[in-house]
Amino acid sequence: MQLIFRYGFLKLQNIPLALLDWQYGLLVLSTVCIAAGGYIINNILDVETDLENKPEKVIIGKTISETKAYNFYIFFTIIGVTIGFYLSNVINKPGFASLFIIIAATLYFYATSLKQSLLFGNIIVAFLLSLSVLIIGIFDLYPVTFEENKPIMGLLFGILLDYAIFAFIINFIREIVKDLEDFEGDLNQGMNTLPIAFGVNRTVKLVFGLSFIPIICIIYYINQYVFASGLFISTIYGLAFILAPLIYFTIKIWNSKTKKEFHILSMLLKWILFFGMLSIVVISLNMKHNA
């Protein structure tokens, strides 16, 4: 996703960027390392739940010992935060290093306690995903924003913000669907997820209602900014690969009841997120072709 935004969007604009290509590669590596650390600590503390929900995917305690997993967690987290500290100094904004520390700490607290809180854990995961889009603007646009180029930089940052909001909404809905998928295991482990607190049927209806938010937003966005700009290829792409699958998701979620159905819908949302992020390349190339 970060590579798509750099090379399929920002590099196609006639603007200066704060990071060199290899430095941007380090930003991506830092993001991956911190995310990997969060994934590992979450798996360490989720072994019992995962043994019930997805026993075939459990690695810790089977392939890798818990001690080795903790070492991997510490290694990846330190690498990610250290790179973040270096990049913050490269752009002469040393205070930005705290962002990487906060993200790593949030992932740790999510795994240890926050995900036990009703909806709060879902919000945290969705927010951190959206932050991985915003961090591009923070490190690549903001340091080279001056009075002269502020309008164009503001516009580009606004586009990144729109995609970050899209990522947040889709991933927030997906986190609830994953809770529906893991209902039985979470219930046996004493978790306090939305399906457990409100019941599966009510949660399904809530997801159905929430799914109209991205549908309405995408229809508005395509009509207001894409179709109105004469970007017909991008309009067709958005309708076929983002809007249509979302409408399909909305139709299917209403009557979904089984773990398998929720798993398929969770994967569908992941693909919608992927094609949504890829749309920035389609729009950029479409604009270049029209020009």
Side-chain angles (χ1 to χ4, degrees):
M1 182 178 67
Q2 290 178 331
L3 291 172
I4 283 170
F5 276 101
R6 167 80 172 199
Y7 297 101
F9 176 50
L10 295 180
K11 278 279 191 176
L12 301 178
Q13 315 301 318
N14 189 26
I15 56 162
L17 295 171
L19 300 175
L20 299 172
D21 285 347
W22 68 271
Q23 291 169 337
Y24 190 83
L26 286 177
L27 179 65
V28 175
L29 180 61
S30 173
T31 305
V32 170
C33 285
I34 292 174
Y39 187 80
I40 293 166
I41 191 67
N42 188 58
N43 277 13
I44 292 170
L45 300 170
D46 242 10
V47 169
E48 288 184 17
T49 309
D50 287 343
L51 281 170
E52 293 202 35
N53 289 330
K54 42 193 173 185
E56 72 287 349
K57 291 186 177 180
V58 174
I59 295 173
I60 294 162
K62 291 183 176 180
T63 311
I64 300 171
S65 69
E66 190 174 306
T67 303
K68 189 175 284 186
Y70 268 113
N71 290 337
F72 276 129
Y73 161 69
I74 293 166
F75 172 77
F76 281 119
T77 302
I78 289 174
I79 291 293
V81 172
T82 303
I83 293 172
F85 178 80
Y86 166 74
L87 292 174
S88 301
N89 283 278
V90 164
I91 61 171
N92 295 315
K93 305 285 181 184
F96 284 8
S98 60
L99 187 62
F100 295 88
I101 297 168
I102 291 168
I103 293 169
T106 303
L107 284 169
Y108 176 80
F109 287 120
Y110 165 78
T112 54
S113 57
L114 294 178
K115 70 177 174 185
Q116 311 286 346
S117 308
L118 188 66
L119 272 184
F120 194 58
N122 305 106
I123 293 169
I124 288 293
V125 171
F127 174 72
L128 290 178
L129 176 69
S130 65
L131 196 58
S132 65
V133 180
L134 288 179
I135 206 166
I136 300 167
I138 294 170
F139 275 82
D140 227 3
L141 297 179
Y142 177 71
V144 286
T145 299
F146 310 105
E147 204 59 46
E148 302 77 29
N149 66 0
K150 191 177 282 186
I152 182 65
M153 290 303 209
L155 176 66
L156 296 176
F157 198 91
I159 292 171
L160 289 177
L161 181 60
D162 290 339
Y163 275 89
I165 293 169
F166 170 76
F168 175 85
I169 295 169
I170 296 297
N171 210 49
F172 176 66
I173 294 171
R174 183 169 179 263
E175 285 299 311
I176 299 175
V177 174
K178 282 167 65 182
D179 285 341
L180 284 164
E181 181 187 348
D182 295 340
F183 173 77
E184 290 180 13
D186 290 345
L187 181 64
N188 293 335
Q189 292 300 319
M191 305 283 278
N192 188 33
T193 63
L194 202 64
I196 292 168
F198 294 123
V200 171
N201 288 334
R202 285 183 183 176
T203 305
V204 164
K205 302 304 181 274
L206 175 64
V207 172
F208 174 80
L210 287 173
S211 68
F212 282 94
I213 297 173
I215 287 174
I216 292 166
C217 289
I218 288 164
I219 290 172
Y220 173 80
Y221 202 90
I222 289 174
N223 183 59
Q224 191 76 10
Y225 300 108
V226 184
F227 183 74
S229 301
L231 303 174
F232 300 121
I233 295 172
S234 301
T235 300
I236 293 168
Y237 176 91
L239 294 174
F241 291 95
I242 305 169
L243 187 60
L246 260 175
I247 293 171
Y248 176 80
F249 170 86
T250 303
I251 294 167
K252 293 298 288 182
I253 190 67
W254 181 260
N255 291 313
S256 294
K257 293 180 175 64
T258 67
K259 183 184 180 77
K260 184 180 178 182
E261 287 174 318
F262 293 132
H263 177 72
I264 291 169
L265 290 175
S266 170
M267 292 304 295
L268 177 61
L269 287 175
K270 188 180 274 192
W271 280 108
I272 290 169
L273 185 60
F274 171 75
F275 284 118
M277 294 301 160
L278 204 58
S279 70
I280 193 67
V281 181
V282 179
I283 292 169
S284 298
L285 294 175
N286 199 175
M287 288 179 73
K288 217 168 180 60
H289 179 264
N290 284 9

